[in-house]
Amino acid sequence: MVIIRPLKVLVCLAILSTFTFVTAGWGYNGVDISGGTGIQGEALSADPRGKPATPMRSLGTSGSSHKSSKSHKSHTSGTSSSTRSPEVSISYPPADPVFPAYRNPGLVYPPQGYPLPPGPSTQFAAGPQNLFCPSGWNFCMPWYVPFLPRIGPKQFQINAKLWYAQLNASTVLWGTDFVGGQGTELDLVRDLGLSKHQYIAEYEARCQLRCNWGLRFSFMPIAFKDNSVPAQNFFFGNAFFPAAVPIVARWHRYIYRWDIVYDWYQQKHAVSSIFAGYSLYDDKIEVEDIAQSRNRSRGFGLGFAGMSIDRVIRNLGCGGAAASAHCKGSLQFLEGYFGWDAYATGRISVPMDCGRFGYIEAGWRWMVLERSQPSDIDRTSLDGLIGAVGFVF
């Protein structure tokens, strides 16, 4: 019994030592598993060839870990600057409480940030009443200002006018009497019997060379012819015309005008132009009775210069049509003559395709031209209602 028990003890110790050596050899001679996930045991971490395991990181903390490592490096290097991750800033356009979200491209709105007009309603504006201010000439016009149609570069404009002219105080004197004295100053209506009212046409064409420069030509034929019986004797062209003898009086005046136009002011709501040019007059007055005939025929040229203003009043509907005012005036001079020509009309413009538009207008016109010499007096004064139709293409 004494011998057998020590043997059992030795066998048990040998088995235990074998398991101990196998476990130790497996722990120190195994494959490097430092790249795997998890936590290694204390026995494995004691191996000098082993690498420390990298702890697991969540995707949400990668930025903060990277940031903290950079911050740590910057503090250890002794610098005072800290590295920050770039910040993304998103800017939104400022809110515009004044204007609606949709804007008609054919309309002119006030500038950004322009204060609202006073009053309970914000649809109508009150502004200075002048020719060029967008808020002038309101006439209950909306807060926006409509666009004024106008001729553009390399476009043409043609129009035809019809003038119902009234012949006012217009006189003519030509020649002397029998003894060389001053002749008779004749009233065209009272003495020569010309009609007081007459339809006069005018045709005009314009070519816009550049944005602000254009050339214009117009032609106006004036023709009066009437029969009458003079109530008194008179002299015309050194000839004596007795009273109570029927006469035929004719007055023809053809006016040709060429001028250059410069648009010195151009905005979406108004256009103002200055112009200057030359006009050629072909004038003829003839008096004829049963025995004789006298006529004064002459051609003369006049210079003229003037200014025009076109101002929109308001838009008409949603199609881009607009109502506007058109005013024009000029002075005429040279060769002893002096006069002026002016008219003011209201215009309605209707747009067409490709920048073209048509318009109609109606208003009043005045034309005065005078020349006074001892034996040659020529005074003409006409005014009346005028209408026109035109196209820009």
Side-chain angles (χ1 to χ4, degrees):
M1 296 297 295
V2 176
I3 298 173
I4 296 173
R5 292 180 178 178
L7 291 174
K8 292 180 179 181
V9 172
L10 291 174
V11 171
C12 292
L13 292 175
I15 294 171
L16 292 175
S17 63
T18 302
F19 279 107
T20 303
F21 284 116
V22 172
T23 306
W26 174 81
Y28 286 99
N29 297 327
V31 181
D32 184 11
I33 57 173
S34 61
T37 59
I39 302 175
Q40 294 179 345
E42 294 179 359
L44 296 177
S45 62
D47 185 11
R49 296 178 301 172
K51 295 182 181 180
T54 303
M56 294 180 64
R57 295 179 300 175
S58 62
L59 296 176
T61 59
S62 60
S64 60
S65 174
H66 180 66
K67 185 176 179 180
S68 60
S69 63
K70 284 188 176 181
S71 177
H72 177 70
K73 289 181 181 179
S74 62
H75 283 298
T76 54
S77 61
T79 60
S80 60
S81 63
S82 61
T83 304
R84 297 181 179 180
S85 61
E87 298 180 357
V88 179
S89 61
I90 302 176
S91 60
Y92 298 93
D96 188 359
V98 179
F99 314 116
Y102 171 77
R103 298 189 180 189
N104 191 328
L107 304 178
V108 181
Y109 291 81
Q112 181 76 13
Y114 198 87
L116 287 171
S121 174
T122 61
Q123 294 181 356
F124 301 95
Q129 304 296 316
N130 59 61
L131 294 176
F132 301 114
C133 180
S135 59
W137 288 16
N138 294 107
F139 301 116
C140 296
M141 185 172 60
W143 174 236
Y144 55 79
V145 180
F147 178 78
L148 174 68
R150 80 284 308 277
I151 186 172
K154 298 182 180 179
Q155 282 191 314
F156 295 89
Q157 176 182 356
I158 58 173
N159 67 64
K161 300 181 178 70
L162 186 61
W163 184 20
Y164 186 61
Q166 174 179 291
L167 191 58
N168 297 318
S170 301
T171 60
V172 59
L173 185 151
W174 182 49
T176 60
D177 57 11
F178 291 139
V179 297
Q182 188 178 19
T184 308
E185 186 172 356
L186 304 172
D187 188 281
L188 298 182
V189 176
R190 185 188 66 244
D191 299 325
L192 297 183
L194 296 181
S195 59
K196 193 172 182 63
H197 295 88
Q198 185 73 22
Y199 287 99
I200 300 174
E202 183 180 16
Y203 310 96
E204 182 179 285
R206 174 176 174 178
C207 173
Q208 192 74 1
L209 302 177
R210 302 188 65 181
C211 182
N212 297 87
W213 293 93
L215 293 177
R216 184 166 52 197
F217 169 77
S218 66
F219 170 63
M220 174 186 288
I222 300 176
F224 287 80
K225 178 182 178 182
D226 286 288
N227 301 325
S228 65
V229 178
Q232 61 181 2
N233 304 327
F234 64 89
F235 288 90
F236 183 75
N238 301 329
F240 177 74
F241 291 85
V245 177
I247 62 172
V248 178
R250 301 180 183 90
W251 176 41
H252 295 171
R253 174 174 287 180
Y254 302 128
I255 306 174
Y256 307 86
R257 292 179 176 173
W258 300 266
D259 61 331
I260 184 168
V261 186
Y262 174 67
D263 300 329
W264 68 274
Y265 180 87
Q266 277 208 48
Q267 292 294 332
K268 291 187 177 180
H269 65 281
V271 174
S272 182
S273 308
I274 56 175
F275 56 90
Y278 183 80
S279 58
L280 180 62
Y281 283 70
D282 183 8
D283 189 80
K284 180 179 181 181
I285 295 181
E286 182 179 4
V287 180
E288 179 184 0
D289 63 7
I290 58 175
Q292 57 186 347
S293 175
R294 291 292 186 273
N295 69 80
R296 188 199 69 179
S297 180
R298 64 176 58 163
F300 54 93
L302 303 180
F304 65 93
M307 180 178 179
S308 65
I309 298 174
D310 291 85
R311 176 65 161 86
V312 71
I313 297 176
R314 65 174 303 151
N315 67 315
L316 304 174
C318 301
S324 60
H326 177 60
C327 302
K328 178 181 175 182
S330 63
L331 297 177
Q332 304 180 71
F333 46 87
L334 293 181
E335 297 196 24
Y337 284 91
F338 182 80
W340 53 277
D341 183 7
Y343 68 89
T345 60
R347 177 182 293 182
I348 297 178
S349 304
V350 180
M352 300 178 183
D353 296 333
C354 303
R356 298 171 295 180
F357 66 92
Y359 62 88
I360 58 174
E361 62 183 20
W364 203 266
R365 183 170 188 171
W366 302 264
M367 181 183 290
V368 176
L369 187 62
E370 295 183 359
R371 179 185 183 182
S372 181
Q373 294 183 357
S375 59
D376 191 355
I377 296 176
D378 188 7
R379 298 189 182 100
T380 56
S381 175
L382 299 102
D383 71 275
L385 186 67
I386 188 171
V389 58
F391 298 94
V392 173
F393 56 93

mmCIF file of all heavy atoms in Angstrom, residues 307-348:
data_model
loop_
_atom_site.group_PDB
_atom_site.id
_atom_site.type_symbol
_atom_site.label_atom_id
_atom_site.label_comp_id
_atom_site.label_asym_id
_atom_site.label_seq_id
_atom_site.Cartn_x
_atom_site.Cartn_y
_atom_site.Cartn_z
ATOM 1 N N MET A 307 -37.440 118.596 -79.420
ATOM 2 C CA MET A 307 -37.357 117.580 -78.385
ATOM 3 C C MET A 307 -38.687 116.837 -78.314
ATOM 4 O O MET A 307 -39.746 117.417 -78.576
ATOM 5 C CB MET A 307 -37.046 118.242 -77.033
ATOM 6 C CG MET A 307 -36.927 117.299 -75.868
ATOM 7 S SD MET A 307 -36.494 118.205 -74.352
ATOM 8 C CE MET A 307 -36.462 116.853 -73.182
ATOM 9 N N SER A 308 -38.627 115.566 -77.951
ATOM 10 C CA SER A 308 -39.840 114.751 -77.796
ATOM 11 C C SER A 308 -39.749 113.961 -76.492
ATOM 12 O O SER A 308 -38.645 113.646 -76.016
ATOM 13 C CB SER A 308 -40.025 113.799 -78.977
ATOM 14 O OG SER A 308 -38.989 112.843 -79.017
ATOM 15 N N ILE A 309 -40.912 113.643 -75.943
ATOM 16 C CA ILE A 309 -41.011 112.886 -74.700
ATOM 17 C C ILE A 309 -42.105 111.836 -74.860
ATOM 18 O O ILE A 309 -43.217 112.153 -75.283
ATOM 19 C CB ILE A 309 -41.334 113.797 -73.502
ATOM 20 C CG1 ILE A 309 -40.216 114.817 -73.274
ATOM 21 C CG2 ILE A 309 -41.540 112.966 -72.234
ATOM 22 C CD1 ILE A 309 -40.546 115.836 -72.212
ATOM 23 N N ASP A 310 -41.772 110.598 -74.544
ATOM 24 C CA ASP A 310 -42.739 109.505 -74.496
ATOM 25 C C ASP A 310 -42.756 108.971 -73.074
ATOM 26 O O ASP A 310 -41.702 108.588 -72.535
ATOM 27 C CB ASP A 310 -42.362 108.387 -75.468
ATOM 28 C CG ASP A 310 -42.527 108.811 -76.913
ATOM 29 O OD1 ASP A 310 -41.596 109.424 -77.465
ATOM 30 O OD2 ASP A 310 -43.589 108.523 -77.467
ATOM 31 N N ARG A 311 -43.948 108.931 -72.485
ATOM 32 C CA ARG A 311 -44.084 108.528 -71.080
ATOM 33 C C ARG A 311 -45.242 107.550 -70.951
ATOM 34 O O ARG A 311 -46.343 107.825 -71.405
ATOM 35 C CB ARG A 311 -44.334 109.757 -70.207
ATOM 36 C CG ARG A 311 -44.589 109.462 -68.724
ATOM 37 C CD ARG A 311 -43.333 108.861 -68.098
ATOM 38 N NE ARG A 311 -43.333 108.972 -66.666
ATOM 39 C CZ ARG A 311 -43.902 108.113 -65.821
ATOM 40 N NH1 ARG A 311 -44.596 107.098 -66.293
ATOM 41 N NH2 ARG A 311 -43.807 108.277 -64.525
ATOM 42 N N VAL A 312 -44.972 106.379 -70.364
ATOM 43 C CA VAL A 312 -46.024 105.390 -70.183
ATOM 44 C C VAL A 312 -46.978 105.857 -69.088
ATOM 45 O O VAL A 312 -46.574 106.532 -68.133
ATOM 46 C CB VAL A 312 -45.405 104.015 -69.844
ATOM 47 C CG1 VAL A 312 -44.816 104.001 -68.449
ATOM 48 C CG2 VAL A 312 -46.436 102.912 -70.000
ATOM 49 N N ILE A 313 -48.235 105.529 -69.244
ATOM 50 C CA ILE A 313 -49.243 105.879 -68.241
ATOM 51 C C ILE A 313 -49.633 104.644 -67.444
ATOM 52 O O ILE A 313 -49.561 104.643 -66.224
ATOM 53 C CB ILE A 313 -50.478 106.508 -68.912
ATOM 54 C CG1 ILE A 313 -50.073 107.818 -69.603
ATOM 55 C CG2 ILE A 313 -51.572 106.757 -67.889
ATOM 56 C CD1 ILE A 313 -51.202 108.460 -70.368
ATOM 57 N N ARG A 314 -50.036 103.578 -68.109
ATOM 58 C CA ARG A 314 -50.337 102.334 -67.435
ATOM 59 C C ARG A 314 -50.439 101.215 -68.454
ATOM 60 O O ARG A 314 -50.538 101.457 -69.648
ATOM 61 C CB ARG A 314 -51.626 102.438 -66.616
ATOM 62 C CG ARG A 314 -52.886 102.656 -67.451
ATOM 63 C CD ARG A 314 -54.109 102.602 -66.555
ATOM 64 N NE ARG A 314 -54.166 101.345 -65.846
ATOM 65 C CZ ARG A 314 -54.725 101.184 -64.639
ATOM 66 N NH1 ARG A 314 -55.279 102.201 -64.031
ATOM 67 N NH2 ARG A 314 -54.749 99.993 -64.061
ATOM 68 N N ASN A 315 -50.385 99.974 -67.946
ATOM 69 C CA ASN A 315 -50.543 98.829 -68.834
ATOM 70 C C ASN A 315 -52.018 98.528 -69.025
ATOM 71 O O ASN A 315 -52.870 98.932 -68.233
ATOM 72 C CB ASN A 315 -49.817 97.608 -68.263
ATOM 73 C CG ASN A 315 -50.468 97.132 -66.984
ATOM 74 O OD1 ASN A 315 -50.803 97.924 -66.115
ATOM 75 N ND2 ASN A 315 -50.635 95.832 -66.852
ATOM 76 N N LEU A 316 -52.329 97.813 -70.075
ATOM 77 C CA LEU A 316 -53.706 97.479 -70.421
ATOM 78 C C LEU A 316 -53.819 95.975 -70.523
ATOM 79 O O LEU A 316 -53.398 95.371 -71.519
ATOM 80 C CB LEU A 316 -54.109 98.139 -71.741
ATOM 81 C CG LEU A 316 -53.957 99.660 -71.804
ATOM 82 C CD1 LEU A 316 -54.240 100.147 -73.212
ATOM 83 C CD2 LEU A 316 -54.877 100.343 -70.806
ATOM 84 N N GLY A 317 -54.341 95.330 -69.496
ATOM 85 C CA GLY A 317 -54.482 93.881 -69.513
ATOM 86 C C GLY A 317 -53.165 93.177 -69.294
ATOM 87 O O GLY A 317 -52.166 93.765 -68.889
ATOM 88 N N CYS A 318 -53.151 91.869 -69.574
ATOM 89 C CA CYS A 318 -51.976 91.031 -69.337
ATOM 90 C C CYS A 318 -51.182 90.749 -70.603
ATOM 91 O O CYS A 318 -50.200 90.018 -70.557
ATOM 92 C CB CYS A 318 -52.406 89.702 -68.712
ATOM 93 S SG CYS A 318 -53.279 89.889 -67.139
ATOM 94 N N GLY A 319 -51.586 91.277 -71.744
ATOM 95 C CA GLY A 319 -50.898 90.968 -72.991
ATOM 96 C C GLY A 319 -49.718 91.856 -73.298
ATOM 97 O O GLY A 319 -49.082 91.700 -74.331
ATOM 98 N N GLY A 320 -49.388 92.823 -72.427
ATOM 99 C CA GLY A 320 -48.266 93.716 -72.670
ATOM 100 C C GLY A 320 -48.638 95.012 -73.337
ATOM 101 O O GLY A 320 -47.767 95.836 -73.608
ATOM 102 N N ALA A 321 -49.912 95.249 -73.642
ATOM 103 C CA ALA A 321 -50.327 96.525 -74.228
ATOM 104 C C ALA A 321 -50.163 97.631 -73.197
ATOM 105 O O ALA A 321 -50.279 97.413 -71.988
ATOM 106 C CB ALA A 321 -51.768 96.446 -74.718
ATOM 107 N N ALA A 322 -49.892 98.830 -73.680
ATOM 108 C CA ALA A 322 -49.636 99.948 -72.781
ATOM 109 C C ALA A 322 -50.216 101.224 -73.361
ATOM 110 O O ALA A 322 -50.270 101.413 -74.577
ATOM 111 C CB ALA A 322 -48.130 100.108 -72.543
ATOM 112 N N ALA A 323 -50.649 102.102 -72.466
ATOM 113 C CA ALA A 323 -51.110 103.435 -72.826
ATOM 114 C C ALA A 323 -50.025 104.431 -72.435
ATOM 115 O O ALA A 323 -49.458 104.345 -71.342
ATOM 116 C CB ALA A 323 -52.414 103.767 -72.123
ATOM 117 N N SER A 324 -49.723 105.352 -73.325
ATOM 118 C CA SER A 324 -48.641 106.295 -73.089
ATOM 119 C C SER A 324 -48.997 107.651 -73.673
ATOM 120 O O SER A 324 -49.969 107.791 -74.427
ATOM 121 C CB SER A 324 -47.322 105.784 -73.700
ATOM 122 O OG SER A 324 -47.460 105.616 -75.102
ATOM 123 N N ALA A 325 -48.204 108.644 -73.310
ATOM 124 C CA ALA A 325 -48.354 109.996 -73.827
ATOM 125 C C ALA A 325 -47.147 110.320 -74.701
ATOM 126 O O ALA A 325 -46.006 109.995 -74.350
ATOM 127 C CB ALA A 325 -48.463 111.004 -72.692
ATOM 128 N N HIS A 326 -47.388 110.945 -75.838
ATOM 129 C CA HIS A 326 -46.335 111.293 -76.786
ATOM 130 C C HIS A 326 -46.427 112.785 -77.077
ATOM 131 O O HIS A 326 -47.447 113.260 -77.581
ATOM 132 C CB HIS A 326 -46.489 110.479 -78.072
ATOM 133 C CG HIS A 326 -45.501 110.828 -79.138
ATOM 134 N ND1 HIS A 326 -44.145 110.706 -78.963
ATOM 135 C CD2 HIS A 326 -45.673 111.319 -80.393
ATOM 136 C CE1 HIS A 326 -43.521 111.093 -80.062
ATOM 137 N NE2 HIS A 326 -44.436 111.469 -80.942
ATOM 138 N N CYS A 327 -45.378 113.508 -76.731
ATOM 139 C CA CYS A 327 -45.335 114.961 -76.929
ATOM 140 C C CYS A 327 -44.078 115.316 -77.716
ATOM 141 O O CYS A 327 -42.999 114.760 -77.471
ATOM 142 C CB CYS A 327 -45.328 115.703 -75.599
ATOM 143 S SG CYS A 327 -46.748 115.339 -74.549
ATOM 144 N N LYS A 328 -44.223 116.258 -78.640
ATOM 145 C CA LYS A 328 -43.118 116.617 -79.516
ATOM 146 C C LYS A 328 -43.247 118.077 -79.920
ATOM 147 O O LYS A 328 -44.354 118.563 -80.174
ATOM 148 C CB LYS A 328 -43.129 115.719 -80.759
ATOM 149 C CG LYS A 328 -42.060 116.009 -81.782
ATOM 150 C CD LYS A 328 -42.209 115.056 -82.965
ATOM 151 C CE LYS A 328 -41.246 115.366 -84.084
ATOM 152 N NZ LYS A 328 -41.429 114.456 -85.240
ATOM 153 N N GLY A 329 -42.128 118.776 -79.981
ATOM 154 C CA GLY A 329 -42.126 120.176 -80.381
ATOM 155 C C GLY A 329 -40.810 120.561 -81.012
ATOM 156 O O GLY A 329 -39.749 120.031 -80.660
ATOM 157 N N SER A 330 -40.861 121.494 -81.973
ATOM 158 C CA SER A 330 -39.646 121.928 -82.658
ATOM 159 C C SER A 330 -39.783 123.384 -83.085
ATOM 160 O O SER A 330 -40.901 123.908 -83.234
ATOM 161 C CB SER A 330 -39.351 121.050 -83.886
ATOM 162 O OG SER A 330 -40.389 121.166 -84.844
ATOM 163 N N LEU A 331 -38.642 124.031 -83.284
ATOM 164 C CA LEU A 331 -38.561 125.394 -83.801
ATOM 165 C C LEU A 331 -37.981 125.357 -85.196
ATOM 166 O O LEU A 331 -37.051 124.582 -85.473
ATOM 167 C CB LEU A 331 -37.695 126.263 -82.891
ATOM 168 C CG LEU A 331 -38.196 126.483 -81.457
ATOM 169 C CD1 LEU A 331 -37.183 127.312 -80.675
ATOM 170 C CD2 LEU A 331 -39.558 127.156 -81.449
ATOM 171 N N GLN A 332 -38.489 126.222 -86.102
ATOM 172 C CA GLN A 332 -38.033 126.293 -87.489
ATOM 173 C C GLN A 332 -37.501 127.699 -87.768
ATOM 174 O O GLN A 332 -38.085 128.682 -87.318
ATOM 175 C CB GLN A 332 -39.181 125.962 -88.446
ATOM 176 C CG GLN A 332 -39.823 124.616 -88.175
ATOM 177 C CD GLN A 332 -40.949 124.307 -89.127
ATOM 178 O OE1 GLN A 332 -40.721 124.053 -90.313
ATOM 179 N NE2 GLN A 332 -42.179 124.352 -88.633
ATOM 180 N N PHE A 333 -36.445 127.764 -88.549
ATOM 181 C CA PHE A 333 -35.781 129.047 -88.779
ATOM 182 C C PHE A 333 -34.994 128.994 -90.085
ATOM 183 O O PHE A 333 -34.934 127.943 -90.719
ATOM 184 C CB PHE A 333 -34.847 129.379 -87.599
ATOM 185 C CG PHE A 333 -33.988 128.225 -87.153
ATOM 186 C CD1 PHE A 333 -32.756 127.972 -87.734
ATOM 187 C CD2 PHE A 333 -34.438 127.356 -86.170
ATOM 188 C CE1 PHE A 333 -31.979 126.909 -87.344
ATOM 189 C CE2 PHE A 333 -33.662 126.280 -85.771
ATOM 190 C CZ PHE A 333 -32.426 126.057 -86.349
ATOM 191 N N LEU A 334 -34.404 130.118 -90.473
ATOM 192 C CA LEU A 334 -33.602 130.375 -91.671
ATOM 193 C C LEU A 334 -34.450 131.048 -92.751
ATOM 194 O O LEU A 334 -35.689 130.932 -92.769
ATOM 195 C CB LEU A 334 -32.954 129.104 -92.251
ATOM 196 C CG LEU A 334 -31.862 128.418 -91.401
ATOM 197 C CD1 LEU A 334 -31.322 127.197 -92.146
ATOM 198 C CD2 LEU A 334 -30.746 129.364 -91.039
ATOM 199 N N GLU A 335 -33.729 131.771 -93.664
ATOM 200 C CA GLU A 335 -34.304 132.443 -94.828
ATOM 201 C C GLU A 335 -35.438 133.413 -94.453
ATOM 202 O O GLU A 335 -36.421 133.555 -95.170
ATOM 203 C CB GLU A 335 -34.802 131.432 -95.864
ATOM 204 C CG GLU A 335 -33.693 130.573 -96.436
ATOM 205 C CD GLU A 335 -34.111 129.868 -97.711
ATOM 206 O OE1 GLU A 335 -35.033 130.349 -98.395
ATOM 207 O OE2 GLU A 335 -33.500 128.835 -98.036
ATOM 208 N N GLY A 336 -35.270 134.046 -93.308
ATOM 209 C CA GLY A 336 -36.260 135.023 -92.870
ATOM 210 C C GLY A 336 -37.511 134.435 -92.253
ATOM 211 O O GLY A 336 -38.398 135.179 -91.822
ATOM 212 N N TYR A 337 -37.632 133.134 -92.187
ATOM 213 C CA TYR A 337 -38.796 132.473 -91.602
ATOM 214 C C TYR A 337 -38.513 132.105 -90.152
ATOM 215 O O TYR A 337 -37.372 131.824 -89.760
ATOM 216 C CB TYR A 337 -39.152 131.203 -92.368
ATOM 217 C CG TYR A 337 -39.850 131.425 -93.676
ATOM 218 C CD1 TYR A 337 -39.113 131.544 -94.858
ATOM 219 C CD2 TYR A 337 -41.239 131.515 -93.744
ATOM 220 C CE1 TYR A 337 -39.746 131.731 -96.066
ATOM 221 C CE2 TYR A 337 -41.882 131.708 -94.950
ATOM 222 C CZ TYR A 337 -41.131 131.816 -96.100
ATOM 223 O OH TYR A 337 -41.776 132.010 -97.309
ATOM 224 N N PHE A 338 -39.572 132.079 -89.401
ATOM 225 C CA PHE A 338 -39.507 131.552 -88.043
ATOM 226 C C PHE A 338 -40.865 130.943 -87.703
ATOM 227 O O PHE A 338 -41.915 131.529 -88.007
ATOM 228 C CB PHE A 338 -39.166 132.638 -87.026
ATOM 229 C CG PHE A 338 -39.051 132.110 -85.607
ATOM 230 C CD1 PHE A 338 -37.896 131.472 -85.200
ATOM 231 C CD2 PHE A 338 -40.114 132.225 -84.717
ATOM 232 C CE1 PHE A 338 -37.783 130.969 -83.903
ATOM 233 C CE2 PHE A 338 -40.011 131.727 -83.436
ATOM 234 C CZ PHE A 338 -38.845 131.095 -83.022
ATOM 235 N N GLY A 339 -40.834 129.790 -87.084
ATOM 236 C CA GLY A 339 -42.089 129.128 -86.726
ATOM 237 C C GLY A 339 -41.851 127.995 -85.755
ATOM 238 O O GLY A 339 -40.719 127.729 -85.328
ATOM 239 N N TRP A 340 -42.901 127.349 -85.429
ATOM 240 C CA TRP A 340 -42.833 126.213 -84.522
ATOM 241 C C TRP A 340 -43.900 125.190 -84.888
ATOM 242 O O TRP A 340 -44.915 125.506 -85.503
ATOM 243 C CB TRP A 340 -42.978 126.651 -83.070
ATOM 244 C CG TRP A 340 -44.194 127.491 -82.770
ATOM 245 C CD1 TRP A 340 -44.329 128.834 -82.952
ATOM 246 C CD2 TRP A 340 -45.441 127.041 -82.255
ATOM 247 N NE1 TRP A 340 -45.573 129.251 -82.582
ATOM 248 C CE2 TRP A 340 -46.277 128.177 -82.133
ATOM 249 C CE3 TRP A 340 -45.938 125.803 -81.868
ATOM 250 C CZ2 TRP A 340 -47.574 128.092 -81.666
ATOM 251 C CZ3 TRP A 340 -47.234 125.716 -81.381
ATOM 252 C CH2 TRP A 340 -48.029 126.850 -81.280
ATOM 253 N N ASP A 341 -43.606 123.950 -84.529
ATOM 254 C CA ASP A 341 -44.486 122.818 -84.827
ATOM 255 C C ASP A 341 -44.521 121.934 -83.593
ATOM 256 O O ASP A 341 -43.477 121.480 -83.115
ATOM 257 C CB ASP A 341 -43.959 122.051 -86.041
ATOM 258 C CG ASP A 341 -44.873 120.905 -86.455
ATOM 259 O OD1 ASP A 341 -45.972 120.792 -85.878
ATOM 260 O OD2 ASP A 341 -44.483 120.123 -87.342
ATOM 261 N N ALA A 342 -45.706 121.681 -83.067
ATOM 262 C CA ALA A 342 -45.832 120.886 -81.845
ATOM 263 C C ALA A 342 -47.103 120.069 -81.892
ATOM 264 O O ALA A 342 -48.101 120.482 -82.503
ATOM 265 C CB ALA A 342 -45.835 121.797 -80.611
ATOM 266 N N TYR A 343 -47.054 118.922 -81.243
ATOM 267 C CA TYR A 343 -48.276 118.138 -81.064
ATOM 268 C C TYR A 343 -48.144 117.255 -79.839
ATOM 269 O O TYR A 343 -47.052 116.856 -79.429
ATOM 270 C CB TYR A 343 -48.666 117.347 -82.313
ATOM 271 C CG TYR A 343 -47.758 116.218 -82.712
ATOM 272 C CD1 TYR A 343 -47.958 114.939 -82.207
ATOM 273 C CD2 TYR A 343 -46.732 116.411 -83.616
ATOM 274 C CE1 TYR A 343 -47.155 113.889 -82.598
ATOM 275 C CE2 TYR A 343 -45.925 115.381 -84.013
ATOM 276 C CZ TYR A 343 -46.135 114.120 -83.504
ATOM 277 O OH TYR A 343 -45.325 113.082 -83.900
ATOM 278 N N ALA A 344 -49.298 116.956 -79.253
ATOM 279 C CA ALA A 344 -49.395 116.103 -78.069
ATOM 280 C C ALA A 344 -50.488 115.082 -78.325
ATOM 281 O O ALA A 344 -51.605 115.441 -78.694
ATOM 282 C CB ALA A 344 -49.707 116.934 -76.828
ATOM 283 N N THR A 345 -50.157 113.824 -78.122
ATOM 284 C CA THR A 345 -51.098 112.741 -78.408
ATOM 285 C C THR A 345 -51.057 111.706 -77.297
ATOM 286 O O THR A 345 -50.074 111.592 -76.554
ATOM 287 C CB THR A 345 -50.772 112.051 -79.745
ATOM 288 O OG1 THR A 345 -49.448 111.495 -79.674
ATOM 289 C CG2 THR A 345 -50.854 113.027 -80.898
ATOM 290 N N GLY A 346 -52.124 110.931 -77.209
ATOM 291 C CA GLY A 346 -52.148 109.728 -76.398
ATOM 292 C C GLY A 346 -52.022 108.523 -77.299
ATOM 293 O O GLY A 346 -52.614 108.469 -78.377
ATOM 294 N N ARG A 347 -51.222 107.547 -76.868
ATOM 295 C CA ARG A 347 -50.904 106.404 -77.721
ATOM 296 C C ARG A 347 -51.235 105.101 -77.008
ATOM 297 O O ARG A 347 -51.025 104.967 -75.802
ATOM 298 C CB ARG A 347 -49.416 106.436 -78.089
ATOM 299 C CG ARG A 347 -48.928 105.263 -78.906
ATOM 300 C CD ARG A 347 -47.447 105.351 -79.195
ATOM 301 N NE ARG A 347 -47.117 106.451 -80.082
ATOM 302 C CZ ARG A 347 -45.887 106.707 -80.502
ATOM 303 N NH1 ARG A 347 -44.875 105.955 -80.092
ATOM 304 N NH2 ARG A 347 -45.668 107.739 -81.303
ATOM 305 N N ILE A 348 -51.732 104.144 -77.763
ATOM 306 C CA ILE A 348 -51.958 102.780 -77.283
ATOM 307 C C ILE A 348 -51.106 101.846 -78.137
ATOM 308 O O ILE A 348 -51.271 101.799 -79.363
ATOM 309 C CB ILE A 348 -53.446 102.388 -77.353
ATOM 310 C CG1 ILE A 348 -54.274 103.284 -76.430
ATOM 311 C CG2 ILE A 348 -53.629 100.924 -76.971
ATOM 312 C CD1 ILE A 348 -55.758 102.990 -76.475
#
